[in-house]
Amino acid sequence: MGLHPGMGFSDARAFCRDLQSRPADQKADQDFLNTLARWAKRYCPWVGLEGINGLALNIAGSAHLFGGEAAMMDDMRHGLTQAGITAHLGLADTRGAAWALAHYGEGIAPVGAAQAQIASLPVAALRLEEKTCIALQRLGVRDIAELSALPRATVTRRFGRDVLLRLDQALGAQAEEISPLPEAPHYGVRITLPDPIGLTADVMAGAERVLERLCSKLKSREMGACILQLTLRRVDRSNQQVELRLARPLRDVARILPLFQRGVDQVDAGFGIDQLRLVATQVEPLPATQISHTSTVQHKGLEDLITRIGTRIGLENVQRFLPADSHIPERSFIISPAAYSVPAGSWPTIRLRPLQLFAPEPIGGSDTRPPARFRWRRMSFATARTVGPERIAPEWWLSDENRCSGVRDYWKVETKQGRRLWLFYTPQNPGWFVQGEFA
Amino acid sequence: MFSFALGGQITGSVLWICEGWRTEQISPTGFAPYLDPQNLLYAKAKGQPNVLAVAEEALRSGAISLVIMELSAPIGLTAGRRLQLAAEAGRSTGLCIISEGMGSNAAETRWRCAPIFDAKDSTLQRWELIKNKSGTLSEWDVKWDAETRRVIVVSEAAQRQGSARMPD
């Protein structure tokens, strides 16, 4: 269509009227390329990244497994097309020649014929800088054949060593490596048993063995497991799963093992279990820390307790209070899951606040002073003493439908019946509400 | 206030368990004078059986010194006994907040706490000990002293309303 990278958006719109634009997400692109590299390992073990949008595969010795180079390329192209990816493939003896073919020619260079195959390609196919390419074109050097015909000494003097290095790499005179991506560590271990087991104690002993191996693996990489999944395969080939979500990343066998007890108790062993597989599906870095005599030991028990409670009611339901910077009473604290937060903050008490807060409950009355008698929750109260008003204005920079009735005048009302309530009056929309209760 | 005052006097963590449907929310800005909110964990369980299970787990672990649970239905003999055994094993204290007349036989003590109005003091409460397995029953009028963070028992003679000896 005439579009190319680096084009202005309005220029591109002139070619293609309904062009859509999205901000580039380089991280996602990189992740996708890594995923693609993992997929490409089906063709050969030696897969490296090529720039930001390419992969380099060293298929030496693995092409015959797919029935030859051409069949392998077809298979690759078929797989990529199925996934909706448009790819340019090039195959040659050297990495440079393959790059040139992939970008400018597409196709397979037969063994030993790379030079002939890429001779007619433009000099840009040699992975040269754009400036160098333009300079070469100005001199009338358009394709690779013309460049290789030039005397080497003059080329180096004019353009530096880079041009000849790239040419030699493409033609095979200079070696070039592909550095494969590191294998992502896999935190999973399994144990297969000669005879099926069924007793809880046996299963726990088996779990201890796999857990020991997993924990030593985690320890060697300074990681801690957050979510563990124990899969028990029964003799009849059905799987029983026990999932454990830990409040803190852990790699301590003695602490993790008791936490599995509850899950293992609920497993139906059927005719017996003959394989245990333990996978840490989510891991977090857990660097070794200095042990000191002043550190508190008590936290350990608490974290294990949070985990145990979390397996029953959900880890996000065990919460703690953290201070928040707001003068609105309901927003002056936040509740966050205890597993993912640390206790923090000071709680200054500037003004009296009720022990309990609830959603505002309307009561009768429209005077600006608290009503002398009122009914709340089917009980009648007589006001004995009032403290107030304390005017709290809404946070206008946030939209909150609870606060659309405007400013509130809060009163602490002590009733003759004993209860001490927190009432507020909304002057802009007259009405009285109860929102909290003091001790 | 009884729960928070008790939690403030105990060293160690406090776990507050309630059922998820409750709209009343304890407010840390309110109870901070009594109990440091850093020491409080707040668990929301679904249904009373879960509340009791979590409470038993926490009592038994020993990592928590006080477990406060808000109950909506009376607990049976089995549940009460289990909680008691768990508390003994973990050397911790459990406190159930219940409605009037819902008490369990397993409880060591049962208290009825209500604020009472007083012309001078706005923290006055009456704490009645209405069940005690190892002692006699009694009642006290107490007030909260914010400076020392202590509960102070108010002497009856001076404070009892309508008392002849009450100073003007």
Side-chain angles (χ1 to χ4, degrees):
Chain A
M1 261 200 255
L3 304 181
H4 60 82
M7 210 174 194
F9 183 62
S10 50
D11 293 346
R13 274 269 290 276
F15 285 97
C16 178
R17 274 184 58 201
D18 44 355
L19 187 69
Q20 298 189 349
S21 73
R22 297 263 185 286
D25 187 353
Q26 294 184 342
K27 167 107 178 44
D29 288 352
Q30 193 65 42
D31 289 348
F32 178 72
L33 198 61
N34 284 334
T35 315
L36 206 60
R38 229 180 109 81
W39 171 81
K41 282 194 182 146
R42 66 206 324 235
Y43 296 108
C44 65
W46 215 250
V47 181
L49 297 185
E50 172 65 59
I52 56 161
N53 55 4
L55 293 178
L57 278 68
N58 184 354
I59 58 156
S62 65
H64 71 277
L65 298 172
F66 292 85
E69 290 171 352
M72 187 186 213
M73 294 276 273
D74 285 343
D75 186 56
M76 222 178 263
R77 199 184 300 281
H78 179 71
L80 288 169
T81 315
Q82 289 245 307
I85 301 164
T86 316
H88 298 284
L89 306 176
L91 195 152
D93 292 350
T94 62
R95 186 177 176 176
W99 194 93
L101 280 174
H103 284 79
Y104 289 91
E106 252 198 276
I108 304 174
V111 179
Q115 189 168 5
Q117 197 84 8
I118 65 168
S120 59
L121 298 181
V123 283
L126 287 178
R127 293 177 284 173
L128 298 177
E129 282 175 38
E130 202 175 349
K131 218 172 73 184
T132 322
C133 291
I134 292 170
L136 280 167
Q137 278 176 6
R138 287 207 178 124
L139 292 178
V141 182
R142 300 207 181 276
D143 53 29
I144 293 173
E146 287 173 2
L147 181 64
S148 51
L150 290 178
R152 294 179 70 90
T154 53
V155 173
T156 311
R157 203 179 308 144
R158 181 75 172 77
F159 296 105
R161 292 174 53 198
D162 198 39
V163 176
L164 287 181
L165 175 72
R166 289 300 189 193
L167 183 65
D168 287 346
Q169 281 177 343
L171 299 181
Q174 189 78 249
E176 192 181 5
E177 299 286 312
I178 292 173
S179 54
L181 292 175
E183 190 79 38
H186 176 64
Y187 299 105
V189 285
R190 67 175 168 200
I191 186 172
T192 310
L193 306 166
D195 280 322
I197 56 171
L199 297 177
T200 310
D202 293 348
V203 176
M204 287 302 284
E208 188 180 0
R209 282 200 204 169
V210 280
L211 195 58
E212 267 167 13
R213 277 164 55 200
L214 182 72
C215 287
S216 63
K217 205 171 194 175
L218 288 167
K219 195 175 178 189
S220 66
R221 294 180 196 273
E222 297 221 325
M223 300 296 259
C226 290
I227 300 179
L228 288 163
Q229 207 159 31
L230 180 67
T231 310
L232 308 170
R233 196 187 67 190
R234 303 200 315 205
V235 182
D236 55 1
R237 301 282 155 178
S238 64
N239 286 324
Q240 300 274 313
Q241 294 220 334
V242 180
E243 198 185 54
L244 186 65
R245 288 167 178 269
L246 298 169
R248 287 266 180 280
L250 278 184
R251 54 161 182 257
D252 190 353
V253 181
R255 284 179 64 190
I256 300 176
L257 192 65
L259 304 176
F260 267 115
Q261 184 76 48
R262 182 178 137 78
V264 169
D265 277 343
Q266 290 173 347
V267 163
D268 175 18
F271 292 108
I273 291 159
D274 66 353
Q275 190 189 58
L276 287 89
R277 195 167 74 229
L278 183 66
V279 184
T281 46
Q282 193 181 324
V283 290
E284 266 183 32
L286 179 67
T289 47
Q290 174 77 45
I291 301 172
S292 86
H293 61 284
T294 54
S295 67
T296 47
V297 192
Q298 202 216 349
H299 280 297
K300 275 189 177 177
L302 200 58
E303 282 161 15
D304 288 354
L305 178 69
I306 292 173
T307 305
R308 274 205 300 277
I309 296 176
T311 52
R312 187 180 291 274
I313 61 171
L315 209 49
E316 64 284 346
N317 285 332
V318 188
Q319 299 158 333
R320 73 167 104 242
F321 295 104
L322 296 175
D325 190 12
S326 170
H327 59 268
I328 305 272
E330 306 93 290
R331 285 200 229 199
S332 55
F333 58 92
I334 44 176
I335 301 178
S336 72
Y340 313 123
S341 60
V342 284
S346 58
W347 297 85
T349 46
I350 304 153
R351 293 188 184 280
L352 273 180
R353 290 282 179 258
L355 285 182
Q356 270 196 331
L357 280 177
F358 33 83
E361 295 169 12
I363 54 170
S366 58
D367 198 16
T368 53
R369 306 276 307 170
R373 298 186 166 277
F374 58 94
R375 284 184 69 78
W376 172 66
R377 292 189 178 175
R378 297 189 190 171
M379 292 174 283
S380 45
F381 294 98
T383 307
R385 182 170 45 193
T386 58
V387 183
E390 179 193 352
R391 176 161 290 189
I392 297 179
E395 293 175 323
W396 52 262
W397 53 94
L398 296 172
S399 66
D400 181 0
E401 69 264 21
N402 294 332
R403 289 265 158 182
C404 57
S405 56
V407 297
R408 294 177 175 182
D409 288 342
Y410 279 95
W411 296 76
K412 178 182 178 182
V413 171
E414 292 177 28
T415 59
K416 289 215 174 73
Q417 284 72 17
R419 298 181 83 156
R420 305 177 180 111
L421 300 171
W422 211 37
L423 271 62
F424 71 84
Y425 174 66
T426 48
Q428 290 163 348
N429 190 4
W432 280 93
F433 300 87
V434 185
Q435 209 197 349
E437 187 169 3
F438 291 90
Chain B
M1 177 185 149
F2 179 81
S3 344
F4 291 118
L6 181 60
Q9 304 305 319
I10 276 180
T11 53
S13 305
V14 179
L15 176 69
W16 187 290
I17 315 164
C18 68
E19 289 177 50
W21 51 266
R22 281 185 191 267
T23 50
E24 287 97 346
Q25 163 86 58
I26 51 170
S27 152
T29 45
F31 66 73
Y34 304 97
L35 160 69
D36 188 357
Q38 290 188 30
N39 289 340
L40 187 99
L41 282 176
Y42 184 70
K44 271 188 174 170
K46 200 184 275 179
Q48 183 147 312
N50 272 329
V51 172
L52 295 175
V54 169
E56 189 190 5
E57 192 94 63
L59 284 170
R60 195 180 294 279
S61 77
I64 298 266
S65 355
L66 174 66
V67 178
I68 303 168
M69 54 210 118
E70 286 184 69
L71 299 179
S72 50
I75 54 174
L77 291 173
T78 322
R81 179 73 182 142
R82 280 183 68 157
L83 286 179
Q84 194 189 20
L85 289 175
E88 275 171 16
R91 309 189 64 77
S92 47
T93 312
L95 177 66
C96 305
I97 300 179
I98 54 170
S99 314
E100 187 76 47
M102 257 177 33
S104 158
N105 269 336
E108 280 294 320
T109 57
R110 190 173 307 134
W111 295 75
R112 183 190 290 131
C113 305
I116 50 176
F117 176 70
D118 182 76
K120 280 186 234 116
D121 189 9
S122 60
T123 59
L124 196 68
Q125 299 220 338
R126 174 159 301 146
W127 290 0
E128 294 167 61
L129 183 54
I130 53 175
K131 178 191 171 173
N132 190 354
K133 273 192 181 172
S134 51
T136 53
L137 306 183
S138 182
E139 62 175 73
W140 296 272
D141 286 0
V142 297
K143 67 174 187 180
W144 174 256
D145 188 346
E147 277 179 23
T148 53
R149 293 187 162 212
R150 283 281 183 280
V151 168
I152 294 177
V153 177
V154 180
S155 76
E156 289 183 29
Q159 286 289 336
R160 177 64 58 84
Q161 282 185 352
S163 162
R165 278 173 289 174
M166 188 175 158
D168 293 327

